[in-house]
Amino acid sequence: MADPTRIAVIGDVGGHFAPLVHLLGELGVRFGTDIDWPDDLHVVQVGDLVHRGPASAEVVGLVADLLDRGVWTQIVGNHEQLYVDRPVFGWSESIDETAQTQLRDWWAHGRLRAAAAVTDNSGEEWLITHAGLTAGFWRHGLEAPDDAGATVEALKEAADGGALWHPGTMLLGIDDDNAGPVWAAAGTEVYPSWPRLEAELPFNQIHGHSSAFDWNRNRWSAESWIRPQIRLDLNRRQAAFEHSGRRIVGIDPCHLAEAAPVFEPFVLHGAVIA
């Protein structure tokens, strides 16, 4: 994508088709006999398209169409990992064979990505991953690339070698400053890893997967000493961690079997994907 545009980064969808359609409608997309897509809009979705909600197959089908149109960039989440890599955790539901085949095909052909890099209209770089990039994984797993585009390339190599799936507390029950960008927990691994390892953020980040604040239970899911560095937007279900002059923005709405009552995308204006 060469021309500046409005890039809307959408958090975890979790099988909720109707709320996704509504959200796209708020961004100016019109659904009828065909989809009328605004010329200035591109969507990056952070992964976990499937499970929880009632319509995972419909979500995957819609995204397949939008990928074909070139208006959508899809990031892999840990729930997609169940179908494109070895199943490292158990889940009580499974999507249909057609949707599974679509996910595997996207992964095989690079349409399901480890990460995306975006530059906004102020020249700020943003790395978009499913769970967020910890300082340890950036430093030790990727050899500390200093820009978002180079980090995307390094994450492609990590995906090819299997390191992308490096687990953290959600699988092992132990916090790890080296947890990978598909599994890291925002409030106990991603955010605290940067000040704890005395590393400056080389770029801004956007992620889904987990939130430093549990919107459903109205309580923190972050280490107490970093909470002063986190700004909460309850109306959008977004949490922004600030460190060394840059931000990591969490946009997981924490959908359950029912969709979250409020959530919005994080929109970057006049932006381009690297």
Side-chain angles (χ1 to χ4, degrees):
M1 183 191 310
D3 297 328
T5 187
R6 181 173 44 124
I7 295 179
V9 188
I10 294 178
D12 304 41
V13 173
H16 290 288
F17 179 78
L20 175 60
V21 168
H22 175 77
L23 188 65
L24 292 173
E26 294 293 307
L27 291 167
V29 180
R30 296 292 173 257
F31 291 87
T33 54
D34 196 8
I35 300 175
D36 183 13
W37 192 273
D39 291 338
D40 73 329
L41 177 65
H42 189 89
V43 166
V44 179
Q45 200 282 322
V46 301
D48 281 7
L49 285 173
V50 300
H51 298 158
R52 291 193 174 87
S56 291
E58 289 85 347
V59 169
V60 172
L62 172 61
V63 171
D65 182 16
L66 299 176
L67 284 169
D68 287 343
R69 292 168 180 250
V71 298
W72 189 281
T73 295
Q74 185 60 52
I75 307 299
V76 67
N78 61 300
H79 282 265
E80 285 77 47
Q81 183 190 359
L82 284 175
Y83 303 104
V84 304
D85 192 70
R86 58 193 177 89
V88 295
F89 69 105
W91 194 254
S92 59
E93 58 186 307
S94 180
I95 62 176
D96 68 28
E97 288 294 334
T98 299
Q100 289 187 37
T101 299
Q102 285 177 305
L103 292 178
R104 294 187 184 106
D105 181 71
W106 295 352
W107 184 248
H109 293 91
R111 305 180 85 187
L112 186 57
R113 307 183 185 189
V118 173
T119 303
D120 67 20
N121 58 2
S122 68
E124 286 285 321
E125 289 188 310
W126 296 82
L127 179 76
I128 305 169
T129 62
H130 178 57
L133 185 63
T134 60
F137 195 89
W138 168 76
R139 178 180 287 168
H140 304 298
L142 305 180
E143 298 184 354
D146 59 6
D147 65 77
T151 302
V152 169
E153 293 304 313
L155 285 169
K156 288 180 183 177
E157 294 184 14
D160 291 340
L164 181 72
W165 318 111
H166 186 70
T169 189
M170 288 192 179
L171 282 180
L172 303 180
I174 301 172
D175 293 335
D176 185 353
D177 286 337
N178 299 291
V182 175
W183 278 104
T188 60
E189 293 176 323
V190 179
Y191 303 172
S193 70
W194 292 92
R196 189 155 50 215
L197 297 182
E198 299 181 345
E200 293 190 1
L201 281 165
F203 35 71
N204 301 297
Q205 297 189 48
I206 306 170
H207 71 86
H209 180 62
S210 68
S211 177
F213 190 80
D214 187 332
W215 310 110
N216 296 317
R217 296 181 175 86
N218 197 37
R219 67 188 187 192
W220 285 99
S221 300
E223 295 189 14
S224 59
W225 62 276
I226 63 162
R227 293 175 192 172
Q229 294 170 254
I230 302 172
R231 292 183 294 105
L232 302 177
D233 187 334
L234 275 68
N235 293 324
R236 293 181 173 88
R237 290 203 169 194
Q238 297 177 3
F241 169 71
E242 298 182 355
H243 174 67
S244 64
R246 290 192 169 92
R247 289 180 288 166
I248 307 178
V249 181
I251 59 171
D252 177 15
C254 300
H255 293 311
L256 301 173
E258 294 186 4
V262 294
F263 59 98
E264 293 186 13
F266 188 79
V267 180
L268 297 167
H269 295 276
V272 293
I273 295 181

